[in-house]
Amino acid sequence: MNKFYLCILLVGVVCGAYVCGAAVSDAKCRANVAQQNMRDLQNFQKEITQNKRKNHETVYKTNTNDIRRILRDKYTIAE
């Protein structure tokens, strides 16, 4: 009878280790995915910033900002 209990205990320990290992690996996978998403988001934000910077440089170099200001002042719906 003691051998039977020992086998049951051994099976229980193995099953418990399997469940704990699965939980740990799932948590690591979620952490890796979150880090990758954060890196992708930061890269996307850098691209947006670079595009904005290029657009602003183009606008200020061609003096279209003056044209925009003049048109905005002339044709607003303030009146």
Side-chain angles (χ1 to χ4, degrees):
M1 197 66 167
N2 287 339
K3 289 181 181 179
F4 178 71
Y5 289 134
L6 184 61
C7 287
I8 295 288
L9 180 66
L10 185 61
V11 169
V13 168
V14 169
C15 289
Y18 176 77
V19 169
C20 289
V24 168
S25 67
D26 185 47
K28 285 183 180 179
C29 181
R30 287 178 187 264
N32 288 338
V33 168
Q35 287 176 349
Q36 182 63 35
N37 286 342
M38 185 60 76
R39 276 188 240 121
D40 291 343
L41 186 62
Q42 288 173 347
N43 290 337
F44 186 65
Q45 187 65 32
K46 285 180 186 177
E47 289 177 17
I48 290 173
T49 304
Q50 289 173 351
N51 288 340
K52 280 184 179 181
R53 188 173 294 139
K54 287 178 186 176
N55 289 339
H56 286 304
E57 287 175 2
T58 304
V59 167
Y60 288 122
K61 285 181 181 176
T62 58
N63 289 329
T64 56
N65 58 344
D66 290 335
I67 295 170
R68 284 184 184 173
R69 184 184 50 80
I70 291 168
L71 291 174
R72 195 176 303 129
D73 290 340
K74 259 187 166 180
Y75 300 107
T76 57
I77 310 175
E79 297 173 2

